[in-house]
Structures are given as structure tokens and as C-alpha cells.
Amino acid sequence: MSQVLSDTPSAAPADASIADAVRVLEEDIVLGGLHPRERLIEDDLIRRFGLKRHAAREVLAELARRGLVERRKHVGCEVRAFTAQEVAELYQMRELLEAEAARALPCPLPAEALRQLTEIQREHDRAVAEGDPRAVFHTNQRFHRTLFGFCQNGVLQKAIQEYARQTHAIRFGSLVDASYRERARQEHWAMIAALQEGRRDDLIRLCRGHLAPSRDAYLALNRHLQARG
């Protein structure tokens, strides 16, 4: 498994808002700039983002609501770490939800919907080609939000988004590895082709298999750390 892109956190805007700080820290966690069990300290956030103390606390509270950090007694707030069982259970739920959405999508997908999805994927292609993991992360999110938004089941869409967000802190191993990014890019185009040609069974299979790399990369890292410990 490749190393993370960088241990250097992303740049923060001067006098950042709470939303800015949450966005930057989420990117740092997703891309491996902040590691599992790494502490987040209010004073550091105040200095880095130019926040008041109450705003720094709200940033940590929002990250906790998103499942990216957790508070531990006598330790404070730290980037969430997952057990192998937690990873397996979260990805099992994602697989169930996203396969069900694939069953509910119009297939073939109407031309205008295909056009929207294709335009987003071209942006994702550019991000992959430029080796920009932050852009890859955001365009990948847009692709899947748009894709599952066509299933016309609002409750299912929200459930998919919620469980995807809960696995953000798990995904850094796949997002920062160029081979994983290329695999995801190719699988997106395969999904588009299946939707265009009305191949629902292939679409369901692709949606299920698409989740495996990030799950497996995190589990491999866990095994590596345990072996070193």
C-alpha cells in the first residue's frame, strides 16, 4: 500500500469561518494529513484558523457529528479510528444501500441525466490526470451524489450520503494512491455505460465492487500497524 500524499495539513484561509475550518479539516482527515488517533486541540485550531474559542469548539462538535473525530476521556478530541469490525459493518451497510439505489435507478438513464453525469465525470478525469487528490475527493462526491440522486427516493439518498460521510475517515488509503484513483475513474465510466445501455445487473455489480478498495486499504493499514505494534 502506498504512503499518504503528505503529512502537511492543507492551507487554511485567514480568519476562516466555522464552515471553512470544518471543510479544511475534513479534507486533511480524508487525505491523510491528519491520522487516526491524532489529537485535535482547540488552541491549535484557534491559531490556524483565526477562530474564537467558542467557534473552535463548534468546529470539533461538527466534525464529531460527521463521525470524523471522537472525544475520549482524559485524551480529548482525536481523529476517529475504526476497528476491523466497524469498517466491515459500515461498508456492508453502504453496499446494501447503494445496490438498492442501483436497482431503483432508471435504466437506461434518460439522456439529460447521462449528460450531467458525464460532465461531472470529465471533471473527475481531469482531477485524476492532474494528480489532485482534493479535487478527486470533491468530484467523486459529486459523481455519486448525482448518480444516486436519480433514484427518486429521498430517504434512500440521505441514508447513502450519511453512511458515505461516516466512512470519510476510512478512505484516505484509496484517495491518495494513484492506482486506486485510476481504478475508480474507470469504474465510473463503466457505470455510465451500464446506465446508457440498460445493463442493470452490471450496474449493481459495479456499485458493490466500487466500495471495496477504500475498505480494503484501511484494513490493510490496520494490519500493518498492528504488526508493527
mmCIF file with all atom_site columns, all heavy atoms in Angstrom, residues 23 26-28 30-31 124 127 132-143 145 164 168 171 175 181:
data_model
loop_
_atom_site.group_PDB
_atom_site.id
_atom_site.type_symbol
_atom_site.label_atom_id
_atom_site.label_alt_id
_atom_site.label_comp_id
_atom_site.label_asym_id
_atom_site.label_entity_id
_atom_site.label_seq_id
_atom_site.pdbx_PDB_ins_code
_atom_site.Cartn_x
_atom_site.Cartn_y
_atom_site.Cartn_z
_atom_site.occupancy
_atom_site.B_iso_or_equiv
_atom_site.pdbx_formal_charge
_atom_site.auth_seq_id
_atom_site.auth_comp_id
_atom_site.auth_asym_id
_atom_site.auth_atom_id
_atom_site.pdbx_PDB_model_num
ATOM 1   N N   . ARG A 1 23  ? -14.435 22.226 6.589   1.00 0.00 ? 23  ARG A N   1
ATOM 2   C CA  . ARG A 1 23  ? -14.102 21.708 5.258   1.00 0.00 ? 23  ARG A CA  1
ATOM 3   C C   . ARG A 1 23  ? -12.626 21.352 5.164   1.00 0.00 ? 23  ARG A C   1
ATOM 4   O O   . ARG A 1 23  ? -12.257 20.271 4.676   1.00 0.00 ? 23  ARG A O   1
ATOM 5   C CB  . ARG A 1 23  ? -14.452 22.752 4.186   1.00 0.00 ? 23  ARG A CB  1
ATOM 6   C CG  . ARG A 1 23  ? -14.031 22.350 2.782   1.00 0.00 ? 23  ARG A CG  1
ATOM 7   C CD  . ARG A 1 23  ? -14.289 23.472 1.778   1.00 0.00 ? 23  ARG A CD  1
ATOM 8   N NE  . ARG A 1 23  ? -13.672 24.716 2.151   1.00 0.00 ? 23  ARG A NE  1
ATOM 9   C CZ  . ARG A 1 23  ? -12.374 24.980 2.006   1.00 0.00 ? 23  ARG A CZ  1
ATOM 10  N NH1 . ARG A 1 23  ? -11.554 24.073 1.471   1.00 0.00 ? 23  ARG A NH1 1
ATOM 11  N NH2 . ARG A 1 23  ? -11.878 26.147 2.362   1.00 0.00 ? 23  ARG A NH2 1
ATOM 12  N N   . GLU A 1 26  ? -11.810 18.315 7.339   1.00 0.00 ? 26  GLU A N   1
ATOM 13  C CA  . GLU A 1 26  ? -12.345 17.104 6.722   1.00 0.00 ? 26  GLU A CA  1
ATOM 14  C C   . GLU A 1 26  ? -11.419 16.629 5.602   1.00 0.00 ? 26  GLU A C   1
ATOM 15  O O   . GLU A 1 26  ? -11.095 15.439 5.500   1.00 0.00 ? 26  GLU A O   1
ATOM 16  C CB  . GLU A 1 26  ? -13.745 17.352 6.173   1.00 0.00 ? 26  GLU A CB  1
ATOM 17  C CG  . GLU A 1 26  ? -14.357 16.135 5.506   1.00 0.00 ? 26  GLU A CG  1
ATOM 18  C CD  . GLU A 1 26  ? -15.754 16.398 4.968   1.00 0.00 ? 26  GLU A CD  1
ATOM 19  O OE1 . GLU A 1 26  ? -15.933 17.423 4.277   1.00 0.00 ? 26  GLU A OE1 1
ATOM 20  O OE2 . GLU A 1 26  ? -16.642 15.590 5.246   1.00 0.00 ? 26  GLU A OE2 1
ATOM 21  N N   . GLU A 1 27  ? -10.950 17.565 4.762   1.00 0.00 ? 27  GLU A N   1
ATOM 22  C CA  . GLU A 1 27  ? -10.019 17.203 3.698   1.00 0.00 ? 27  GLU A CA  1
ATOM 23  C C   . GLU A 1 27  ? -8.720  16.628 4.281   1.00 0.00 ? 27  GLU A C   1
ATOM 24  O O   . GLU A 1 27  ? -8.181  15.641 3.766   1.00 0.00 ? 27  GLU A O   1
ATOM 25  C CB  . GLU A 1 27  ? -9.702  18.423 2.835   1.00 0.00 ? 27  GLU A CB  1
ATOM 26  C CG  . GLU A 1 27  ? -10.866 18.885 1.967   1.00 0.00 ? 27  GLU A CG  1
ATOM 27  C CD  . GLU A 1 27  ? -10.523 20.120 1.160   1.00 0.00 ? 27  GLU A CD  1
ATOM 28  O OE1 . GLU A 1 27  ? -9.439  20.712 1.410   1.00 0.00 ? 27  GLU A OE1 1
ATOM 29  O OE2 . GLU A 1 27  ? -11.309 20.504 0.282   1.00 0.00 ? 27  GLU A OE2 1
ATOM 30  N N   . ASP A 1 28  ? -8.216  17.249 5.341   1.00 0.00 ? 28  ASP A N   1
ATOM 31  C CA  . ASP A 1 28  ? -6.986  16.755 5.957   1.00 0.00 ? 28  ASP A CA  1
ATOM 32  C C   . ASP A 1 28  ? -7.147  15.323 6.452   1.00 0.00 ? 28  ASP A C   1
ATOM 33  O O   . ASP A 1 28  ? -6.236  14.497 6.306   1.00 0.00 ? 28  ASP A O   1
ATOM 34  C CB  . ASP A 1 28  ? -6.589  17.647 7.136   1.00 0.00 ? 28  ASP A CB  1
ATOM 35  C CG  . ASP A 1 28  ? -6.052  19.001 6.717   1.00 0.00 ? 28  ASP A CG  1
ATOM 36  O OD1 . ASP A 1 28  ? -5.769  19.176 5.511   1.00 0.00 ? 28  ASP A OD1 1
ATOM 37  O OD2 . ASP A 1 28  ? -5.919  19.871 7.592   1.00 0.00 ? 28  ASP A OD2 1
ATOM 38  N N   . VAL A 1 30  ? -9.498  13.065 5.387   1.00 0.00 ? 30  VAL A N   1
ATOM 39  C CA  . VAL A 1 30  ? -9.760  12.175 4.256   1.00 0.00 ? 30  VAL A CA  1
ATOM 40  C C   . VAL A 1 30  ? -8.481  11.869 3.485   1.00 0.00 ? 30  VAL A C   1
ATOM 41  O O   . VAL A 1 30  ? -8.281  10.746 3.010   1.00 0.00 ? 30  VAL A O   1
ATOM 42  C CB  . VAL A 1 30  ? -10.819 12.793 3.322   1.00 0.00 ? 30  VAL A CB  1
ATOM 43  C CG1 . VAL A 1 30  ? -10.917 12.023 2.025   1.00 0.00 ? 30  VAL A CG1 1
ATOM 44  C CG2 . VAL A 1 30  ? -12.175 12.825 4.012   1.00 0.00 ? 30  VAL A CG2 1
ATOM 45  N N   . LEU A 1 31  ? -7.581  12.858 3.380   1.00 0.00 ? 31  LEU A N   1
ATOM 46  C CA  . LEU A 1 31  ? -6.383  12.700 2.558   1.00 0.00 ? 31  LEU A CA  1
ATOM 47  C C   . LEU A 1 31  ? -5.152  12.317 3.373   1.00 0.00 ? 31  LEU A C   1
ATOM 48  O O   . LEU A 1 31  ? -4.045  12.277 2.837   1.00 0.00 ? 31  LEU A O   1
ATOM 49  C CB  . LEU A 1 31  ? -6.121  13.992 1.778   1.00 0.00 ? 31  LEU A CB  1
ATOM 50  C CG  . LEU A 1 31  ? -7.253  14.367 0.814   1.00 0.00 ? 31  LEU A CG  1
ATOM 51  C CD1 . LEU A 1 31  ? -7.013  15.731 0.197   1.00 0.00 ? 31  LEU A CD1 1
ATOM 52  C CD2 . LEU A 1 31  ? -7.416  13.316 -0.262  1.00 0.00 ? 31  LEU A CD2 1
ATOM 53  N N   . HIS A 1 124 ? -13.871 14.823 -12.963 1.00 0.00 ? 124 HIS A N   1
ATOM 54  C CA  . HIS A 1 124 ? -13.145 13.842 -12.161 1.00 0.00 ? 124 HIS A CA  1
ATOM 55  C C   . HIS A 1 124 ? -11.927 13.324 -12.925 1.00 0.00 ? 124 HIS A C   1
ATOM 56  O O   . HIS A 1 124 ? -10.831 13.156 -12.353 1.00 0.00 ? 124 HIS A O   1
ATOM 57  C CB  . HIS A 1 124 ? -14.094 12.694 -11.802 1.00 0.00 ? 124 HIS A CB  1
ATOM 58  C CG  . HIS A 1 124 ? -13.497 11.661 -10.899 1.00 0.00 ? 124 HIS A CG  1
ATOM 59  N ND1 . HIS A 1 124 ? -13.078 10.433 -11.357 1.00 0.00 ? 124 HIS A ND1 1
ATOM 60  C CD2 . HIS A 1 124 ? -13.264 11.657 -9.566  1.00 0.00 ? 124 HIS A CD2 1
ATOM 61  C CE1 . HIS A 1 124 ? -12.613 9.716  -10.345 1.00 0.00 ? 124 HIS A CE1 1
ATOM 62  N NE2 . HIS A 1 124 ? -12.705 10.438 -9.247  1.00 0.00 ? 124 HIS A NE2 1
ATOM 63  N N   . ALA A 1 127 ? -9.152  15.827 -12.624 1.00 0.00 ? 127 ALA A N   1
ATOM 64  C CA  . ALA A 1 127 ? -8.550  15.807 -11.291 1.00 0.00 ? 127 ALA A CA  1
ATOM 65  C C   . ALA A 1 127 ? -7.601  14.626 -11.137 1.00 0.00 ? 127 ALA A C   1
ATOM 66  O O   . ALA A 1 127 ? -6.513  14.755 -10.569 1.00 0.00 ? 127 ALA A O   1
ATOM 67  C CB  . ALA A 1 127 ? -9.645  15.765 -10.226 1.00 0.00 ? 127 ALA A CB  1
ATOM 68  N N   . ASP A 1 132 ? -4.502  15.577 -8.412  1.00 0.00 ? 132 ASP A N   1
ATOM 69  C CA  . ASP A 1 132 ? -5.006  16.494 -7.376  1.00 0.00 ? 132 ASP A CA  1
ATOM 70  C C   . ASP A 1 132 ? -6.002  15.743 -6.494  1.00 0.00 ? 132 ASP A C   1
ATOM 71  O O   . ASP A 1 132 ? -7.193  15.680 -6.800  1.00 0.00 ? 132 ASP A O   1
ATOM 72  C CB  . ASP A 1 132 ? -5.683  17.690 -8.051  1.00 0.00 ? 132 ASP A CB  1
ATOM 73  C CG  . ASP A 1 132 ? -6.154  18.735 -7.048  1.00 0.00 ? 132 ASP A CG  1
ATOM 74  O OD1 . ASP A 1 132 ? -6.198  18.438 -5.835  1.00 0.00 ? 132 ASP A OD1 1
ATOM 75  O OD2 . ASP A 1 132 ? -6.508  19.847 -7.490  1.00 0.00 ? 132 ASP A OD2 1
ATOM 76  N N   . PRO A 1 133 ? -5.560  15.153 -5.366  1.00 0.00 ? 133 PRO A N   1
ATOM 77  C CA  . PRO A 1 133 ? -6.466  14.329 -4.573  1.00 0.00 ? 133 PRO A CA  1
ATOM 78  C C   . PRO A 1 133 ? -7.623  15.092 -3.958  1.00 0.00 ? 133 PRO A C   1
ATOM 79  O O   . PRO A 1 133 ? -8.694  14.523 -3.747  1.00 0.00 ? 133 PRO A O   1
ATOM 80  C CB  . PRO A 1 133 ? -5.559  13.716 -3.502  1.00 0.00 ? 133 PRO A CB  1
ATOM 81  C CG  . PRO A 1 133 ? -4.362  14.592 -3.461  1.00 0.00 ? 133 PRO A CG  1
ATOM 82  C CD  . PRO A 1 133 ? -4.188  15.152 -4.836  1.00 0.00 ? 133 PRO A CD  1
ATOM 83  N N   . ARG A 1 134 ? -7.435  16.378 -3.668  1.00 0.00 ? 134 ARG A N   1
ATOM 84  C CA  . ARG A 1 134 ? -8.554  17.160 -3.111  1.00 0.00 ? 134 ARG A CA  1
ATOM 85  C C   . ARG A 1 134 ? -9.670  17.304 -4.147  1.00 0.00 ? 134 ARG A C   1
ATOM 86  O O   . ARG A 1 134 ? -10.846 17.140 -3.828  1.00 0.00 ? 134 ARG A O   1
ATOM 87  C CB  . ARG A 1 134 ? -8.069  18.528 -2.631  1.00 0.00 ? 134 ARG A CB  1
ATOM 88  C CG  . ARG A 1 134 ? -7.099  18.421 -1.474  1.00 0.00 ? 134 ARG A CG  1
ATOM 89  C CD  . ARG A 1 134 ? -6.603  19.765 -0.964  1.00 0.00 ? 134 ARG A CD  1
ATOM 90  N NE  . ARG A 1 134 ? -5.514  19.527 -0.032  1.00 0.00 ? 134 ARG A NE  1
ATOM 91  C CZ  . ARG A 1 134 ? -5.670  19.169 1.234   1.00 0.00 ? 134 ARG A CZ  1
ATOM 92  N NH1 . ARG A 1 134 ? -6.885  19.043 1.730   1.00 0.00 ? 134 ARG A NH1 1
ATOM 93  N NH2 . ARG A 1 134 ? -4.624  18.939 2.009   1.00 0.00 ? 134 ARG A NH2 1
ATOM 94  N N   . ALA A 1 135 ? -9.278  17.622 -5.374  1.00 0.00 ? 135 ALA A N   1
ATOM 95  C CA  . ALA A 1 135 ? -10.272 17.721 -6.439  1.00 0.00 ? 135 ALA A CA  1
ATOM 96  C C   . ALA A 1 135 ? -10.881 16.355 -6.727  1.00 0.00 ? 135 ALA A C   1
ATOM 97  O O   . ALA A 1 135 ? -12.078 16.248 -7.014  1.00 0.00 ? 135 ALA A O   1
ATOM 98  C CB  . ALA A 1 135 ? -9.651  18.311 -7.696  1.00 0.00 ? 135 ALA A CB  1
ATOM 99  N N   . VAL A 1 136 ? -10.068 15.297 -6.647  1.00 0.00 ? 136 VAL A N   1
ATOM 100 C CA  . VAL A 1 136 ? -10.598 13.946 -6.830  1.00 0.00 ? 136 VAL A CA  1
ATOM 101 C C   . VAL A 1 136 ? -11.674 13.661 -5.793  1.00 0.00 ? 136 VAL A C   1
ATOM 102 O O   . VAL A 1 136 ? -12.752 13.145 -6.115  1.00 0.00 ? 136 VAL A O   1
ATOM 103 C CB  . VAL A 1 136 ? -9.471  12.894 -6.737  1.00 0.00 ? 136 VAL A CB  1
ATOM 104 C CG1 . VAL A 1 136 ? -10.059 11.484 -6.694  1.00 0.00 ? 136 VAL A CG1 1
ATOM 105 C CG2 . VAL A 1 136 ? -8.513  13.019 -7.917  1.00 0.00 ? 136 VAL A CG2 1
ATOM 106 N N   . PHE A 1 137 ? -11.402 13.986 -4.536  1.00 0.00 ? 137 PHE A N   1
ATOM 107 C CA  . PHE A 1 137 ? -12.351 13.757 -3.452  1.00 0.00 ? 137 PHE A CA  1
ATOM 108 C C   . PHE A 1 137 ? -13.679 14.464 -3.724  1.00 0.00 ? 137 PHE A C   1
ATOM 109 O O   . PHE A 1 137 ? -14.756 13.859 -3.653  1.00 0.00 ? 137 PHE A O   1
ATOM 110 C CB  . PHE A 1 137 ? -11.746 14.238 -2.135  1.00 0.00 ? 137 PHE A CB  1
ATOM 111 C CG  . PHE A 1 137 ? -12.700 14.277 -0.973  1.00 0.00 ? 137 PHE A CG  1
ATOM 112 C CD1 . PHE A 1 137 ? -13.424 13.151 -0.600  1.00 0.00 ? 137 PHE A CD1 1
ATOM 113 C CD2 . PHE A 1 137 ? -12.860 15.442 -0.235  1.00 0.00 ? 137 PHE A CD2 1
ATOM 114 C CE1 . PHE A 1 137 ? -14.290 13.183 0.482   1.00 0.00 ? 137 PHE A CE1 1
ATOM 115 C CE2 . PHE A 1 137 ? -13.724 15.479 0.843   1.00 0.00 ? 137 PHE A CE2 1
ATOM 116 C CZ  . PHE A 1 137 ? -14.451 14.347 1.202   1.00 0.00 ? 137 PHE A CZ  1
ATOM 117 N N   . HIS A 1 138 ? -13.607 15.746 -4.088  1.00 0.00 ? 138 HIS A N   1
ATOM 118 C CA  . HIS A 1 138 ? -14.839 16.521 -4.262  1.00 0.00 ? 138 HIS A CA  1
ATOM 119 C C   . HIS A 1 138 ? -15.600 16.122 -5.525  1.00 0.00 ? 138 HIS A C   1
ATOM 120 O O   . HIS A 1 138 ? -16.838 16.034 -5.504  1.00 0.00 ? 138 HIS A O   1
ATOM 121 C CB  . HIS A 1 138 ? -14.529 18.013 -4.251  1.00 0.00 ? 138 HIS A CB  1
ATOM 122 C CG  . HIS A 1 138 ? -14.106 18.523 -2.908  1.00 0.00 ? 138 HIS A CG  1
ATOM 123 N ND1 . HIS A 1 138 ? -14.950 18.514 -1.818  1.00 0.00 ? 138 HIS A ND1 1
ATOM 124 C CD2 . HIS A 1 138 ? -12.920 19.024 -2.462  1.00 0.00 ? 138 HIS A CD2 1
ATOM 125 C CE1 . HIS A 1 138 ? -14.318 18.997 -0.765  1.00 0.00 ? 138 HIS A CE1 1
ATOM 126 N NE2 . HIS A 1 138 ? -13.095 19.316 -1.126  1.00 0.00 ? 138 HIS A NE2 1
ATOM 127 N N   . THR A 1 139 ? -14.899 15.861 -6.612  1.00 0.00 ? 139 THR A N   1
ATOM 128 C CA  . THR A 1 139 ? -15.615 15.452 -7.827  1.00 0.00 ? 139 THR A CA  1
ATOM 129 C C   . THR A 1 139 ? -16.181 14.040 -7.682  1.00 0.00 ? 139 THR A C   1
ATOM 130 O O   . THR A 1 139 ? -17.246 13.740 -8.232  1.00 0.00 ? 139 THR A O   1
ATOM 131 C CB  . THR A 1 139 ? -14.716 15.536 -9.070  1.00 0.00 ? 139 THR A CB  1
ATOM 132 O OG1 . THR A 1 139 ? -13.508 14.792 -8.863  1.00 0.00 ? 139 THR A OG1 1
ATOM 133 C CG2 . THR A 1 139 ? -14.377 16.987 -9.401  1.00 0.00 ? 139 THR A CG2 1
ATOM 134 N N   . ASN A 1 140 ? -15.486 13.192 -6.944  1.00 0.00 ? 140 ASN A N   1
ATOM 135 C CA  . ASN A 1 140 ? -16.020 11.859 -6.673  1.00 0.00 ? 140 ASN A CA  1
ATOM 136 C C   . ASN A 1 140 ? -17.309 11.953 -5.868  1.00 0.00 ? 140 ASN A C   1
ATOM 137 O O   . ASN A 1 140 ? -18.294 11.252 -6.150  1.00 0.00 ? 140 ASN A O   1
ATOM 138 C CB  . ASN A 1 140 ? -14.985 11.032 -5.921  1.00 0.00 ? 140 ASN A CB  1
ATOM 139 C CG  . ASN A 1 140 ? -15.473 9.622  -5.630  1.00 0.00 ? 140 ASN A CG  1
ATOM 140 O OD1 . ASN A 1 140 ? -15.551 8.794  -6.515  1.00 0.00 ? 140 ASN A OD1 1
ATOM 141 N ND2 . ASN A 1 140 ? -15.825 9.350  -4.377  1.00 0.00 ? 140 ASN A ND2 1
ATOM 142 N N   . GLN A 1 141 ? -17.332 12.826 -4.867  1.00 0.00 ? 141 GLN A N   1
ATOM 143 C CA  . GLN A 1 141 ? -18.557 13.036 -4.092  1.00 0.00 ? 141 GLN A CA  1
ATOM 144 C C   . GLN A 1 141 ? -19.700 13.501 -4.990  1.00 0.00 ? 141 GLN A C   1
ATOM 145 O O   . GLN A 1 141 ? -20.829 13.023 -4.873  1.00 0.00 ? 141 GLN A O   1
ATOM 146 C CB  . GLN A 1 141 ? -18.319 14.074 -2.994  1.00 0.00 ? 141 GLN A CB  1
ATOM 147 C CG  . GLN A 1 141 ? -17.600 13.559 -1.763  1.00 0.00 ? 141 GLN A CG  1
ATOM 148 C CD  . GLN A 1 141 ? -17.614 14.605 -0.677  1.00 0.00 ? 141 GLN A CD  1
ATOM 149 O OE1 . GLN A 1 141 ? -17.171 15.741 -0.861  1.00 0.00 ? 141 GLN A OE1 1
ATOM 150 N NE2 . GLN A 1 141 ? -18.129 14.245 0.470   1.00 0.00 ? 141 GLN A NE2 1
ATOM 151 N N   . ARG A 1 142 ? -19.403 14.453 -5.872  1.00 0.00 ? 142 ARG A N   1
ATOM 152 C CA  . ARG A 1 142 ? -20.437 14.977 -6.767  1.00 0.00 ? 142 ARG A CA  1
ATOM 153 C C   . ARG A 1 142 ? -20.968 13.892 -7.685  1.00 0.00 ? 142 ARG A C   1
ATOM 154 O O   . ARG A 1 142 ? -22.176 13.816 -7.944  1.00 0.00 ? 142 ARG A O   1
ATOM 155 C CB  . ARG A 1 142 ? -19.896 16.141 -7.592  1.00 0.00 ? 142 ARG A CB  1
ATOM 156 C CG  . ARG A 1 142 ? -19.742 17.451 -6.834  1.00 0.00 ? 142 ARG A CG  1
ATOM 157 C CD  . ARG A 1 142 ? -19.220 18.542 -7.740  1.00 0.00 ? 142 ARG A CD  1
ATOM 158 N NE  . ARG A 1 142 ? -20.101 18.737 -8.878  1.00 0.00 ? 142 ARG A NE  1
ATOM 159 C CZ  . ARG A 1 142 ? -19.685 19.173 -10.071 1.00 0.00 ? 142 ARG A CZ  1
ATOM 160 N NH1 . ARG A 1 142 ? -18.408 19.426 -10.292 1.00 0.00 ? 142 ARG A NH1 1
ATOM 161 N NH2 . ARG A 1 142 ? -20.544 19.332 -11.042 1.00 0.00 ? 142 ARG A NH2 1
ATOM 162 N N   . PHE A 1 143 ? -20.067 13.052 -8.195  1.00 0.00 ? 143 PHE A N   1
ATOM 163 C CA  . PHE A 1 143 ? -20.488 11.977 -9.094  1.00 0.00 ? 143 PHE A CA  1
ATOM 164 C C   . PHE A 1 143 ? -21.495 11.068 -8.399  1.00 0.00 ? 143 PHE A C   1
ATOM 165 O O   . PHE A 1 143 ? -22.565 10.761 -8.945  1.00 0.00 ? 143 PHE A O   1
ATOM 166 C CB  . PHE A 1 143 ? -19.278 11.164 -9.554  1.00 0.00 ? 143 PHE A CB  1
ATOM 167 C CG  . PHE A 1 143 ? -19.630 10.009 -10.457 1.00 0.00 ? 143 PHE A CG  1
ATOM 168 C CD1 . PHE A 1 143 ? -19.733 10.186 -11.830 1.00 0.00 ? 143 PHE A CD1 1
ATOM 169 C CD2 . PHE A 1 143 ? -19.880 8.752  -9.933  1.00 0.00 ? 143 PHE A CD2 1
ATOM 170 C CE1 . PHE A 1 143 ? -20.074 9.125  -12.667 1.00 0.00 ? 143 PHE A CE1 1
ATOM 171 C CE2 . PHE A 1 143 ? -20.223 7.685  -10.755 1.00 0.00 ? 143 PHE A CE2 1
ATOM 172 C CZ  . PHE A 1 143 ? -20.318 7.872  -12.126 1.00 0.00 ? 143 PHE A CZ  1
ATOM 173 N N   . ARG A 1 145 ? -23.251 11.572 -5.537  1.00 0.00 ? 145 ARG A N   1
ATOM 174 C CA  . ARG A 1 145 ? -24.481 12.275 -5.142  1.00 0.00 ? 145 ARG A CA  1
ATOM 175 C C   . ARG A 1 145 ? -25.419 12.405 -6.321  1.00 0.00 ? 145 ARG A C   1
ATOM 176 O O   . ARG A 1 145 ? -26.631 12.210 -6.199  1.00 0.00 ? 145 ARG A O   1
ATOM 177 C CB  . ARG A 1 145 ? -24.146 13.666 -4.582  1.00 0.00 ? 145 ARG A CB  1
ATOM 178 C CG  . ARG A 1 145 ? -23.945 13.728 -3.093  1.00 0.00 ? 145 ARG A CG  1
ATOM 179 C CD  . ARG A 1 145 ? -24.107 15.140 -2.560  1.00 0.00 ? 145 ARG A CD  1
ATOM 180 N NE  . ARG A 1 145 ? -23.376 16.129 -3.347  1.00 0.00 ? 145 ARG A NE  1
ATOM 181 C CZ  . ARG A 1 145 ? -22.139 16.516 -3.093  1.00 0.00 ? 145 ARG A CZ  1
ATOM 182 N NH1 . ARG A 1 145 ? -21.462 15.979 -2.093  1.00 0.00 ? 145 ARG A NH1 1
ATOM 183 N NH2 . ARG A 1 145 ? -21.549 17.427 -3.843  1.00 0.00 ? 145 ARG A NH2 1
ATOM 184 N N   . ALA A 1 164 ? -21.884 7.312  3.653   1.00 0.00 ? 164 ALA A N   1
ATOM 185 C CA  . ALA A 1 164 ? -20.673 7.716  2.927   1.00 0.00 ? 164 ALA A CA  1
ATOM 186 C C   . ALA A 1 164 ? -19.860 8.678  3.779   1.00 0.00 ? 164 ALA A C   1
ATOM 187 O O   . ALA A 1 164 ? -18.625 8.566  3.863   1.00 0.00 ? 164 ALA A O   1
ATOM 188 C CB  . ALA A 1 164 ? -21.047 8.352  1.588   1.00 0.00 ? 164 ALA A CB  1
ATOM 189 N N   . HIS A 1 168 ? -15.704 8.687  5.588   1.00 0.00 ? 168 HIS A N   1
ATOM 190 C CA  . HIS A 1 168 ? -14.692 9.605  5.066   1.00 0.00 ? 168 HIS A CA  1
ATOM 191 C C   . HIS A 1 168 ? -13.327 9.357  5.699   1.00 0.00 ? 168 HIS A C   1
ATOM 192 O O   . HIS A 1 168 ? -12.297 9.386  5.018   1.00 0.00 ? 168 HIS A O   1
ATOM 193 C CB  . HIS A 1 168 ? -15.110 11.060 5.320   1.00 0.00 ? 168 HIS A CB  1
ATOM 194 C CG  . HIS A 1 168 ? -16.073 11.586 4.309   1.00 0.00 ? 168 HIS A CG  1
ATOM 195 N ND1 . HIS A 1 168 ? -16.445 10.901 3.171   1.00 0.00 ? 168 HIS A ND1 1
ATOM 196 C CD2 . HIS A 1 168 ? -16.757 12.762 4.269   1.00 0.00 ? 168 HIS A CD2 1
ATOM 197 C CE1 . HIS A 1 168 ? -17.297 11.624 2.485   1.00 0.00 ? 168 HIS A CE1 1
ATOM 198 N NE2 . HIS A 1 168 ? -17.507 12.748 3.121   1.00 0.00 ? 168 HIS A NE2 1
ATOM 199 N N   . ARG A 1 171 ? -11.226 6.493  4.120   1.00 0.00 ? 171 ARG A N   1
ATOM 200 C CA  . ARG A 1 171 ? -10.970 6.436  2.680   1.00 0.00 ? 171 ARG A CA  1
ATOM 201 C C   . ARG A 1 171 ? -9.598  6.928  2.243   1.00 0.00 ? 171 ARG A C   1
ATOM 202 O O   . ARG A 1 171 ? -9.260  6.811  1.066   1.00 0.00 ? 171 ARG A O   1
ATOM 203 C CB  . ARG A 1 171 ? -12.032 7.254  1.954   1.00 0.00 ? 171 ARG A CB  1
ATOM 204 C CG  . ARG A 1 171 ? -13.428 6.705  2.144   1.00 0.00 ? 171 ARG A CG  1
ATOM 205 C CD  . ARG A 1 171 ? -14.466 7.599  1.526   1.00 0.00 ? 171 ARG A CD  1
ATOM 206 N NE  . ARG A 1 171 ? -14.208 7.797  0.121   1.00 0.00 ? 171 ARG A NE  1
ATOM 207 C CZ  . ARG A 1 171 ? -14.662 8.836  -0.579  1.00 0.00 ? 171 ARG A CZ  1
ATOM 208 N NH1 . ARG A 1 171 ? -15.373 9.758  0.013   1.00 0.00 ? 171 ARG A NH1 1
ATOM 209 N NH2 . ARG A 1 171 ? -14.404 8.939  -1.859  1.00 0.00 ? 171 ARG A NH2 1
ATOM 210 N N   . LEU A 1 175 ? -7.749  7.257  -1.681  1.00 0.00 ? 175 LEU A N   1
ATOM 211 C CA  . LEU A 1 175 ? -7.750  8.549  -2.360  1.00 0.00 ? 175 LEU A CA  1
ATOM 212 C C   . LEU A 1 175 ? -6.352  9.034  -2.702  1.00 0.00 ? 175 LEU A C   1
ATOM 213 O O   . LEU A 1 175 ? -6.165  9.743  -3.690  1.00 0.00 ? 175 LEU A O   1
ATOM 214 C CB  . LEU A 1 175 ? -8.463  9.599  -1.491  1.00 0.00 ? 175 LEU A CB  1
ATOM 215 C CG  . LEU A 1 175 ? -9.987  9.573  -1.544  1.00 0.00 ? 175 LEU A CG  1
ATOM 216 C CD1 . LEU A 1 175 ? -10.573 10.455 -0.457  1.00 0.00 ? 175 LEU A CD1 1
ATOM 217 C CD2 . LEU A 1 175 ? -10.490 10.019 -2.905  1.00 0.00 ? 175 LEU A CD2 1
ATOM 218 N N   . ARG A 1 181 ? -7.104  5.675  -7.574  1.00 0.00 ? 181 ARG A N   1
ATOM 219 C CA  . ARG A 1 181 ? -7.850  6.763  -8.220  1.00 0.00 ? 181 ARG A CA  1
ATOM 220 C C   . ARG A 1 181 ? -8.177  6.410  -9.667  1.00 0.00 ? 181 ARG A C   1
ATOM 221 O O   . ARG A 1 181 ? -9.277  6.676  -10.153 1.00 0.00 ? 181 ARG A O   1
ATOM 222 C CB  . ARG A 1 181 ? -7.050  8.073  -8.145  1.00 0.00 ? 181 ARG A CB  1
ATOM 223 C CG  . ARG A 1 181 ? -6.853  8.604  -6.738  1.00 0.00 ? 181 ARG A CG  1
ATOM 224 C CD  . ARG A 1 181 ? -6.466  10.073 -6.740  1.00 0.00 ? 181 ARG A CD  1
ATOM 225 N NE  . ARG A 1 181 ? -5.237  10.352 -7.445  1.00 0.00 ? 181 ARG A NE  1
ATOM 226 C CZ  . ARG A 1 181 ? -4.037  10.464 -6.868  1.00 0.00 ? 181 ARG A CZ  1
ATOM 227 N NH1 . ARG A 1 181 ? -3.904  10.260 -5.570  1.00 0.00 ? 181 ARG A NH1 1
ATOM 228 N NH2 . ARG A 1 181 ? -2.970  10.774 -7.576  1.00 0.00 ? 181 ARG A NH2 1
#
